Structures are given as C-alpha cells and as structure tokens.
Amino acid sequence: EPEVTQTPSHQVTQMGQEVILRCVPISNHLYFYWYRQILGQKVEFLVSFYNNEISEKSEIFDDQFSVERPDGSNFTLKIRSTKLEDSAMYFCASSGVGGSYEQYFGPGTRLTVT
Amino acid sequence: AQSVTQLDSQVPVFEEAPVELRCNYSSSVSVYLFWYVQYPNQGLQLLLKYLSGSTLVKGINGFEAEFNKSQTSFHLRKPSVHISDTAEYFCAVSEEGGDKIIFGKGTRLHILP
C-alpha cells in the first residue's frame, strides 16, 4: 500500500540553524500539508500546498517557515532560523483529491532544537 | 472557527471490556469529523470519518463512532478492546469542503491485562 514517507525520523539542531524536513508524498497526490505536534499538545495545521503555491497557512507559519516542491517527488519544510519552541514532531500529509477528507499522514520527523 | 474537545486525557480499560472515548466539537458551519490513531512511535492513521449520511460510522479494527449533531459529539466506541489497541486517539474536525484539519488534544487508551 502506498504511503507517505519522511526523513529524517529525528533531527537535532542548534538554535539559529536552518533545518529542512523532507517528505515524499504518495506518488499521484497533488495536495500536500504540514502539521506539527509539540510534545504533550495537540496536532496543529501549519500549511497546505497545491499547484506550487501555498493554499492556506496558519498563524504559526510565519516568515521563518517555507515550503517547496523541489522536484516531482519531494515536499520540504524549511525553518530558516530555528528556535527552542520549534521543537516538535512534524507530520507531512498528502491527498489526491484535496480537502480534509482524504489526507494520508507520514510517520513524522521529531525535531529537537538545543 | 472549529474546535475539538477531548475531555479525557487518559482512559484505562480492562482487556475485552468495552470502551468509549468522548469527543465534542464546535463549529458554526457544516463539518467533517475524524478519528485518528497514533500507535507508539508511529504516525497518524485514519480510523474512521464522518462526511455525510448515516450518523453511525464504522472504521477499522472494530471501532465505530456516532455523529450527534444536536449534542455536537462524535464519540468513539469499541465493544471489546485488545491489548493491541493501546495508542493515542485523536478526534478531529474540518470545515466541510475545507483543507485544514483541527485536532483535539488526544486520549491515551491504556489497556489493562
């Protein structure tokens, strides 16, 4: 069964460093999403992406964040200058038809900022 | 804006006993409702979803949920739990036709032998 994959599974970085989290969505999907879950808190929507553009973003997704589909298979989330409060589990999701009712989630990348 | 409340952060239940995980939502528009499960060290897996139609929704692993519009609830139930059901369960909502999923804080289901 096709699945969303994410690399790395765990990333440790120092405050102020740039970090790129990578996702490989399901191959024929066109809609992509990032969510994050700070330890002990709820999963929060960050951004949705379709047709090489951001469709919607949350207030969390400020200028420090960016997303890109650099090629036909990867979808990345970049944090320009990490802060301690960026430590979280980051989930990528993809959908073939768009909308909330058919989003498939990856296993997540745990980001630890020290 | 939508929001989700899962009142129980943790639910202990004996193996083979029934379980209900409670979820209430608020929204001023029509919604889709979801339950996701997160097994230890894994990602989010969709258990079931309500989009429209029958208010009783059946999902994977023997789980079901009932949409109650008047009570704005979407409680998850299973008649007999197994040790393998140990996981965190997230109730979620989205605006009908919308993109963004809003999650609750999660309920940890702890199965007692």
Side-chain angles (χ1 to χ4, degrees):
Chain A
E1 188 178 325
E3 57 184 19
V4 176
T5 59
Q6 290 184 243
T7 54
S9 56
H10 190 192
Q11 172 95 43
V12 181
T13 190
Q14 287 192 325
M15 198 166 50
Q17 294 296 305
E18 175 184 285
V19 68
I20 297 176
L21 308 183
R22 290 185 165 79
C23 168
V24 179
I26 293 173
S27 68
N28 59 347
H29 283 186
L30 301 174
Y31 299 81
F32 314 110
Y33 311 86
W34 284 102
Y35 292 79
R36 79 168 186 193
Q37 183 183 27
I38 294 172
L39 188 64
Q41 298 188 26
K42 59 176 73 175
V43 177
E44 301 170 292
F45 170 82
L46 290 178
V47 66
S48 58
F49 188 87
Y50 169 70
N51 200 25
N52 280 320
E53 285 184 351
I54 290 174
S55 315
E56 186 175 355
K57 61 183 180 179
S58 72
E59 59 194 27
I60 302 167
F61 194 89
D62 61 22
D63 292 344
Q64 291 299 313
F65 291 89
S66 62
V67 288
E68 194 180 27
R69 187 146 163 85
D71 54 42
S73 58
N74 288 282
F75 178 53
T76 62
L77 173 69
K78 184 196 294 187
I79 308 175
R80 210 178 325 275
S81 175
T82 50
K83 307 185 191 75
L84 293 176
E85 54 264 37
D86 293 327
S87 295
M89 181 74 94
Y90 288 81
F91 293 105
C92 174
S94 72
S95 168
V97 296
S100 58
Y101 57 88
E102 200 75 38
Q103 288 184 22
Y104 293 85
F105 284 79
T109 292
R110 180 165 297 286
L111 176 65
T112 302
V113 182
T114 62
Chain B
Q2 295 82 43
S3 68
V4 177
T5 302
Q6 292 181 251
L7 286 172
D8 304 306
S9 59
Q10 215 175 172
V11 171
V13 62
F14 286 103
E15 198 169 10
E16 297 183 12
V19 69
E20 179 178 83
L21 305 184
R22 297 180 293 166
C23 172
N24 288 88
Y25 71 93
S26 69
S27 177
S28 56
V29 298
S30 297
V31 295
Y32 296 150
L33 292 157
F34 310 86
W35 276 98
Y36 283 85
V37 59
Q38 186 179 29
Y39 297 104
N41 301 314
Q42 294 189 29
L44 296 164
Q45 183 181 0
L46 182 65
L47 262 185
L48 49 78
K49 61 190 175 191
Y50 171 80
L51 305 181
S52 65
S54 171
T55 57
L56 182 63
V57 180
K58 293 192 184 298
I60 61 171
N61 302 339
F63 283 93
E64 64 180 33
E66 184 147 24
F67 170 53
N68 187 319
K69 191 173 181 180
S70 62
Q71 297 189 1
T72 60
S73 68
F74 191 55
H75 301 331
L76 181 71
R77 292 190 287 261
K78 185 169 182 178
S80 174
V81 296
H82 188 265
I83 197 80
S84 60
D85 293 322
T86 298
E88 185 115 24
Y89 291 80
F90 294 93
C91 182
V93 66
S94 79
E95 184 178 315
E96 188 177 302
D99 234 359
K100 172 173 68 176
I101 299 176
I102 308 296
F103 287 83
K105 284 191 169 184
T107 298
R108 187 169 297 277
L109 181 60
H110 182 47
I111 309 298
L112 306 168

